[in-house]
């Protein structure tokens, strides 16, 4: 994977460390603080999908996270070894559906599609691979 | 990793029978159920509030898990006959409300005064 990379087991307690890793990257790259929001959201939504739906009694998936910033565009790559999960199959959120009946991942994935400039999924080499990128306005907001 | 017990603090006050809940920090999956319990406790208190306003001026972050606690709170308020409003959303939090479609379900106001005026 290109860029800075960190690999962790897909267990809830690791999310905090991944978020710290994102925050450190943001500071190092001197990016505007408010613009980190959709990337924090992406980390949580995708990571929690893997934890909730990719973990079985016999398998704790591994999750690799990579960050890169080129010409004002930040790219977040997330790969996991859990079962294939194609976000294209996640239906758009239906707010009238009772919460218990809500399909997996719909709302979080919908938020990321809308808030990121680019959202690409492939499943290859036994891994779910997501690439999310967004152009950052390099002025104070 | 050393995750704090909760990245969200909440406080609340009551003004003329309207309860105002103020979340401060990050409303992520780890804080969502606790926040939902705070909203439901506020709605179930005696005397029953006429309205519940969530003042989001201290809310730095919300995810889909956090949004769901707002939705449950709004539904509980409806069945309790109380008005449920939010106010003082940061631009990022407002974007999440708008993009998720929640802004169609939950009315939001620029500040607490405007929200209180709506409850009447």
């Amino acid at each position: 994977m290109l860029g800075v990379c960190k690999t962790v087991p897909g267990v809830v307690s690791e999310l905090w460390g991944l978020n710290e890793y994102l925050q450190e990257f943001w500071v190092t790259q001197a990016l505007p603080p408010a613009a980190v929001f959709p990337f924090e959201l992406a980390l949580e939504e995708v990571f929690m999908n893997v934890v909730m739906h990719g973990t079985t009694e016999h398998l704790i998936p591994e999750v690799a996270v990579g960050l890169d910033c080129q010409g004002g565009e930040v790219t977040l790559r997330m790969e996991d070894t859990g079962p294939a999960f194609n976000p294209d199959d996640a239906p758009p959120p239906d707010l009238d559906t009772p919460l218990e009946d809500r399909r997996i991942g719909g709302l979080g994935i919908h938020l990321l599609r809308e808030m990121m400039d680019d959202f690409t999924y492939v499943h290859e080499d036994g891994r779910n691979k997501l690439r999310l990128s967004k152009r950052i306005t390099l002025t104070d907001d | 990793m050393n995750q704090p017990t909760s990245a969200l603090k909440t406080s609340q006050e009551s003004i003329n029978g309207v309860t105002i809940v103020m979340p401060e920090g990050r409303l992520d999956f780890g804080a969502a159920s606790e926040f939902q319990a705070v909203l439901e406790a506020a709605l179930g208190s005696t005397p029953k509030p006429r309205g519940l306003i969530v003042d989001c001026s201290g809310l730095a972050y919300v995810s889909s898990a956090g949004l769901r606690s707002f939705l449950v709170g709004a539904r509980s308020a409806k069945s309790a006959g109380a008005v449920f409003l939010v106010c003082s959303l940061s631009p990022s939090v407002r974007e999440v409300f708008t993009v998720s479609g929640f802004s169609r379900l939950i009315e939001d106001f620029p500040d607490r005064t405007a929200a209180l005026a709506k409850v009447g």
Side-chain angles (χ1 to χ4, degrees):
Chain A
M1 197 188 283
L2 292 172
V4 191
C5 187
K6 184 179 170 82
T7 302
V8 298
V11 291
V12 170
S13 56
E14 296 291 341
L15 179 58
W16 188 255
L18 286 180
N19 192 46
E20 283 188 333
Y21 163 72
L22 168 66
Q23 303 297 341
E24 281 167 20
F25 172 83
W26 217 258
V27 170
T28 306
Q29 298 284 330
L31 293 161
V36 77
F37 192 105
F39 290 91
E40 277 187 70
L41 190 67
L43 267 188
E44 180 181 336
E45 302 293 351
V46 176
F47 189 77
M48 288 310 294
N49 262 351
V50 176
V51 172
M52 308 283 274
H53 310 300
T55 306
T56 67
E57 203 180 328
H58 308 290
L59 171 75
I60 294 174
E62 185 183 272
V63 181
V65 174
L67 285 161
D68 194 25
C69 180
Q70 298 285 341
E73 185 180 61
V74 177
T75 299
L76 168 68
R77 290 167 202 272
M78 294 183 74
E79 299 186 5
D80 71 83
T81 55
F85 170 76
N86 189 344
D88 295 335
D89 295 339
D94 175 3
L95 298 175
D96 299 322
T97 305
L99 295 174
E100 304 74 29
D101 301 339
R102 216 44 102 50
R103 287 283 299 278
I104 292 162
L107 184 55
I109 297 295
H110 172 73
L111 288 173
L112 300 182
R113 280 192 199 289
E114 295 293 322
M115 293 171 74
M116 290 289 175
D117 295 340
D118 187 50
F119 181 110
T120 313
Y121 170 84
V122 291
H123 187 263
E124 61 182 17
D125 308 328
R127 297 164 82 91
N128 293 299
K129 297 184 176 181
L130 267 175
R131 181 185 180 280
L132 303 111
S133 61
K134 189 177 175 75
R135 180 158 291 281
I136 304 299
T137 308
L138 296 172
T139 52
D140 295 334
D141 54 8
Chain B
M1 290 300 158
N2 301 316
Q3 179 161 13
T5 48
S6 177
L8 190 82
K9 290 180 184 157
T10 54
S11 54
Q12 55 183 283
E13 58 185 274
S14 185
I15 300 176
N16 298 328
V18 178
T19 301
I20 300 172
V21 174
M22 289 158 285
E24 196 182 328
R26 294 170 50 82
L27 181 49
D28 58 12
F29 79 95
S33 58
E34 192 183 320
F35 181 63
Q36 189 177 311
V38 167
L39 295 182
E40 289 185 331
L43 286 161
S45 65
T46 311
K48 282 218 162 135
R50 297 185 294 122
L52 180 62
I53 297 171
V54 182
D55 181 335
C56 299
S57 48
L59 187 63
Y61 171 85
V62 64
S63 68
S64 66
L67 279 178
R68 289 192 177 99
S69 55
F70 276 95
L71 188 57
V72 173
R75 285 178 178 162
S76 301
K78 196 175 178 186
S79 55
V83 183
F84 186 92
L85 305 170
V86 296
C87 72
S88 311
L89 278 61
S90 73
S92 296
V93 171
R94 173 170 291 108
E95 186 180 7
V96 171
F97 266 75
T98 305
V99 169
S100 64
F102 276 52
S103 52
R104 284 184 280 116
L105 302 174
I106 301 171
E107 219 174 337
D108 91 82
F109 292 84
D111 55 42
R112 188 189 283 202
T113 308
L116 279 167
K118 173 69 180 187
V119 181

